[in-house]
Amino acid sequence: MSGNPALKNYITYSNTDAGRAVYDNFLNRVTARFPGHIKEIQGIADGSGVPFNQLFLLHLTNELDAILNNTAVEACSDVLLTSTSQCLLGHNEDADPIVDSTGYMVRVNITDSDLKESFTAYHYPGQIAGIAFGFNQWGLVATMNGLYPVEVAFNGIPRQFINRALLSATSYSDVYRILTEGNVAYGFSVNFGFADGPDALGLWNIEIAPNYTAAALSPILSIQKLNLDHYYHFNVYDRLTVSEREGDSVSSQHRKQRAEQLPVPTDATGIQTILGDSGDAEYPIYRVPSTTDDAATVAIVVFDLVKKVAVVFRDNPKSASPVFRFDLSRPSQSSSMSTMHPSSSSMTVLILLVSSLFTSIM
């Protein structure tokens, strides 16, 4: 596992008394609230031969990095825009460079639960959906920004499982319910809107912080709905006052400052120009590993809620063509749910076995 020192550290920590207590605590809480998510991880384990405990540890990355004081990858960048004729959400997915060749998109249909789910989402190897970006059959589109408070709330649910749950949301009120019906263990920000339904053409950003009160039943939220305006969000709290880890905000501060120097976007091209910008050579918005910033922008998505289409890029969106186009229409209004359309016949998406992915990254 020398290729993945972070996971090796998580495993070592989980074999200590303190680490085992953290692991068992979060496993019990997730199993009680989201048993289906545990089944998804178990399915990955069964199909790949990778032990369940290692896969579950991957889903605690944010919490464990804070506990162990590891440097986190600041991820990601978002641009939101609403006007009388536009409703757009653009997102750079930033990650460890290894994800550039191992991340993949999957359409998921779940029929063996009380809540039937259909969604399409970007996945990291060995992990369930939710931590990056995706959309579902109800017209929801959602992107995530990592946030990095100092403390972990051990009475909460790890953030990645809350992110996964959001992919089942049917409305704004459903998003709010998912976020507030239990505390979260760690912070994050969600940008979301709906291409259809009663909340169509609305865009929101919600910042979430753990509530460290022992008896807390819900996290702390700051909700902002766009109203004929634009908005940027990165990997620092913009509205909530939260103690944040000092070393995990340098890139975010640079990206935020650079975005505010660029022309205000008025359409999808303007959003792609911002997401593809490299004007700050040390900490650019569109990220390529360097001596000052070792993260990479591994995927870019722009959701157009008026046209009901999403485009995904693998390379700089200022100049590259999208590799996929997705139909965001709801099933009742489309012959097929969220049809996947390759934009170039020369592009293919390979969904690799998790076992082979782990061979290459561990």
Side-chain angles (χ1 to χ4, degrees), residues 68-188:
L68 299 173
N69 200 29
N70 295 337
T71 300
V73 176
E74 299 174 53
C76 307
S77 301
D78 279 78
V79 182
L80 295 77
L81 171 65
T82 62
S83 70
T84 55
S85 60
Q86 305 275 356
C87 188
L88 298 158
L89 168 58
H91 172 84
N92 277 2
E93 185 62 28
D94 300 331
D96 186 303
I98 191 66
V99 179
D100 189 41
S101 60
T102 58
Y104 49 93
M105 294 200 70
V106 177
R107 179 185 299 160
V108 178
N109 292 288
I110 299 175
T111 59
D112 63 345
S113 64
D114 294 336
L115 175 63
K116 310 304 180 185
E117 293 186 68
S118 290
F119 59 83
T120 301
Y122 188 90
H123 285 62
Y124 284 44
Q127 300 183 47
I128 62 176
I131 201 168
F133 61 86
F135 60 92
N136 71 11
Q137 81 270 36
W138 303 106
L140 169 81
V141 305
T143 68
M144 304 295 162
N145 301 125
L147 295 173
Y148 304 101
V150 172
E151 300 292 337
V152 174
F154 295 101
N155 65 345
I157 298 290
R159 66 153 282 200
Q160 187 156 351
F161 296 97
I162 302 296
N163 296 165
R164 164 63 186 86
L166 290 171
L167 287 172
S168 68
T170 62
S171 63
Y172 168 81
S173 60
D174 206 23
V175 170
Y176 185 82
R177 175 191 61 79
I178 291 167
L179 292 175
T180 58
E181 65 182 6
N183 198 15
V184 299
Y186 207 62
F188 65 94

Side-chain angles (χ1 to χ4, degrees), residues 1-119:
M1 297 188 301
S2 60
N4 194 333
L7 179 56
K8 187 175 182 179
N9 289 339
Y10 302 157
I11 294 170
T12 299
Y13 175 66
S14 71
N15 288 328
T16 67
D17 289 343
R20 189 68 202 183
V22 169
Y23 179 97
D24 289 343
N25 169 63
F26 285 140
L27 178 61
N28 291 337
R29 290 180 182 277
V30 175
T31 301
R33 183 172 172 190
F34 297 119
H37 299 177
I38 296 299
K39 290 174 61 178
E40 292 177 28
I41 298 175
Q42 187 63 60
I44 297 173
D46 292 343
S48 66
V50 178
F52 173 90
N53 71 302
Q54 294 186 20
L55 296 177
F56 188 75
L57 286 169
L58 282 178
H59 293 77
L60 306 181
T61 293
N62 293 104
E63 290 77 15
L64 292 177
D65 282 345
I67 292 169
L68 299 173
N69 200 29
N70 295 337
T71 300
V73 176
E74 299 174 53
C76 307
S77 301
D78 279 78
V79 182
L80 295 77
L81 171 65
T82 62
S83 70
T84 55
S85 60
Q86 305 275 356
C87 188
L88 298 158
L89 168 58
H91 172 84
N92 277 2
E93 185 62 28
D94 300 331
D96 186 303
I98 191 66
V99 179
D100 189 41
S101 60
T102 58
Y104 49 93
M105 294 200 70
V106 177
R107 179 185 299 160
V108 178
N109 292 288
I110 299 175
T111 59
D112 63 345
S113 64
D114 294 336
L115 175 63
K116 310 304 180 185
E117 293 186 68
S118 290
F119 59 83

